[in-house]
Structure formats: C-alpha cells, structure tokens
Amino acid sequence: MRIFPIGRLRGTGIGFGLPAILLLLAFFVVPVALLLARSVTEPQLGWQNYAALLGSSTYAKVFFNTFFVAGVVTAITVLIAFPVAWALVIMPKGWSAVVFAVILLSMWTNLLARTYAWMVLLQQTGLINRMLMSTGLIDRPLQLTNNLVGVTIGMVYIMLPFMILPLMGVLKKIDPAILQAAALCGATKWQALRRVLLPLATPGIASGALMVFVMSLGYFVTPSLLGGASNMMLAELIAQQVQSLVNWGMGGAAAFVLLVVTLALYAVQLRFFDRGEAR
C-alpha cells in the first residue's frame, strides 16, 4: 500500500515539487508552529506574552528602534544603491566587472569582521572622527558608537549589496534607446530620470527595499555590537529572552510578531508591484 499517491501527483506537476514541500514542512512550518505553540503555552496557557509585548513601553521602544532603523537603513540604501547600480550598467564592461567584484567581495567578507572594523572606524579616536576634526568640521569627537547612528551606518554598509544586485537586474533590462527617445522629445536629464528611468526601475527598487527592510528587522550582530544595551532591537530581544532569561514564551511571541510583519510586507509587495510588473 502506497502512503503517497505520487503517480497521481505527477500529472499535476505537484510530484516534482513534493521533496521541496516536505522539506519546507519539516524545517519551516513545523518549527514555526512549535514556536507559536510555546508563545501561548509558556509559562501558562493564554495570550499574556503578546499582551506584555504589545503593552509595555520598554518593548514599544524596542519595536520603535527596530522599525525606525530598518526604515532609515532602507531609505539611505536606496539613495546610494541606485546611482551605483546605474553606473555599473552604463560603464565599460571591464570597469563594471572590477567594481562589481569589489561589491561582491565586501558582501562575502565575514559579517563579524566587517562590524568590528566599523567599531574601530567609528570610535572617538577612530579614523572618521580624526578626519572630521582635521578638516575643522567638528572641534570634538562625535559619539558614533553605542547608539542608533552607529547601527545605521554599519547596517547601510552591510545592506548595500542586497540593494544593488536586484536594481542592476532591472536596470540592465531597460533599453538605453528609451532614454535617448526621451531626450529627443525634449526631456531634460532630471525629467528623463523622474518620468522614465525611475518608473521602469520601480520593481527592482521595491524588491531590493523589501529585502533590505526585512533583513534589517531581524539583524542581530551589528545592532548588538554598535548599538549598546540601551538601544536594543527586536532580534536582540529574542536572543535575550531565549538565551539569558530562558523565557521561550516571550521569545516565541516576539519572533512570531516579526514573522507576521515580514509576511505582511511580502504580501503588500506582491499586491502592488508584482502585478504591475506582470501587466
């Protein structure tokens, strides 16, 4: 007796995807279900963990830090990544390959090493403060670590490749003749950028922004090293609750809230951008 009617599923195409579906169930759906169960059963049955999480001013500050930093990092990343991606598309192939390799190299470098490097650069006796003081822009060192400024700077650097790559994929598909046609029709460079290039690049901007924002929400290493204890973000809260306080209920509730926000953002992206791209 066959437990799974694989022969019948082959005709529908589901049989080919069955191993992936089983892996997804085993390594994602089941762990998430267990996490959700612990969030409503520990220390006792009920919604007390979610009530404490959403009703406490302490946890509200953690949520604010998380979403504020993720939003600022996403906005700055888009502003920096768009001209970089466009330059990579239009520059000669040799130079483009070199710059692209440098970007990939920075992305492949160990995350902990990059974060420690930023700790050295941003400290009060670090290179950035010394450069600002030597140019006369400041007369005393700025506090760039143990606050959200340092977290934002470090995360923008780390997230840039994840914004540049999807943008390049979209910008490469844009025919340069479209911009030439806009110029022939009398459009200035700013008008061609605003009314031609940006609308065509919107799917890439949306995909990259969603990826950067979601990854920023769950980042742990950079905020914990550059942010300090008083600027905790959601991933640090989850780690603290599970590792230090062994409070799986609260940790599970925080993780589940993060998952729900992520899925909601993905649904919005599918609703407003993927359909537009399909049309």
Side-chain angles (χ1 to χ4, degrees):
M1 179 180 177
R2 293 181 177 178
I3 298 176
F4 297 107
I6 296 177
R8 295 180 182 176
L9 294 176
R10 282 175 183 164
T12 63
I14 299 177
F16 295 105
L18 191 59
I21 294 172
L22 292 176
L23 284 174
L24 192 64
L25 287 172
F27 294 106
F28 180 72
V29 177
V30 172
V32 168
L34 292 175
L35 194 63
L36 175 62
R38 296 189 78 160
S39 71
V40 295
T41 57
E42 295 184 13
Q44 59 186 10
L45 185 63
W47 299 96
Q48 66 278 350
N49 290 319
Y50 291 92
L53 191 66
L54 301 176
S56 166
S57 59
T58 302
Y59 295 137
K61 184 183 177 186
V62 174
F63 277 102
F64 172 79
N65 289 343
T66 305
F67 286 94
F68 177 75
V69 170
V72 172
V73 167
T74 304
I76 297 175
T77 304
V78 170
L79 292 175
I80 297 175
F82 189 88
V84 174
W86 181 243
L88 284 169
V89 170
I90 63 174
M91 71 173 49
K93 287 187 178 179
W95 284 107
S96 176
V98 172
V99 177
F100 189 67
V102 171
I103 293 171
L104 288 181
L105 187 64
S106 71
M107 189 173 68
W108 293 336
T109 305
N110 184 276
L111 174 63
L112 201 58
R114 282 182 287 169
T115 305
Y116 276 122
W118 274 111
M119 288 180 68
V120 174
L121 291 173
L122 295 175
Q123 61 185 339
Q124 292 197 339
T125 57
L127 179 64
I128 293 178
N129 265 319
R130 281 188 290 172
M131 285 178 60
L132 293 174
M133 292 180 68
S134 64
T135 56
L137 293 174
I138 57 175
D139 54 4
R140 58 182 177 178
L142 299 174
Q143 181 69 35
L144 298 176
T145 56
N146 294 324
N147 54 32
L148 295 182
V149 175
V151 174
T152 302
I153 294 172
M155 288 184 66
V156 165
Y157 169 74
I158 290 167
M159 293 296 170
L160 264 178
F162 298 100
M163 189 72 229
I164 292 173
L165 294 180
L167 261 175
M168 278 186 64
V170 172
L171 292 174
K172 279 184 176 178
K173 297 177 183 176
I174 298 176
D175 190 348
I178 297 177
L179 298 176
Q180 294 174 1
L184 290 175
C185 291
T188 63
K189 289 183 178 179
W190 168 247
Q191 288 172 328
L193 170 67
R194 187 171 58 87
R195 303 182 67 174
V196 178
L197 191 57
L198 281 178
L200 292 174
T202 298
I205 296 174
S207 299
L210 176 67
M211 187 188 306
V212 170
F213 188 81
V214 169
M215 290 177 68
S216 300
L217 289 179
Y219 240 65
F220 172 73
V221 173
T222 305
S224 62
L225 292 179
L226 290 172
S230 59
N231 299 292
M232 184 179 288
M233 292 176 63
L234 197 52
E236 298 172 82
L237 173 67
I238 295 171
Q240 182 197 60
Q241 293 293 327
V242 172
Q243 294 177 354
S244 303
L245 304 178
V246 199
N247 187 355
W248 278 91
M250 181 61 75
F256 195 71
V257 169
L258 187 59
L259 177 64
V260 169
V261 171
T262 303
L263 293 177
L265 290 171
Y266 183 61
V268 170
Q269 198 263 349
L270 287 179
R271 172 68 178 81
F272 290 101
F273 294 101
D274 275 23
R275 286 187 178 183
E277 188 178 14
R279 283 197 294 268

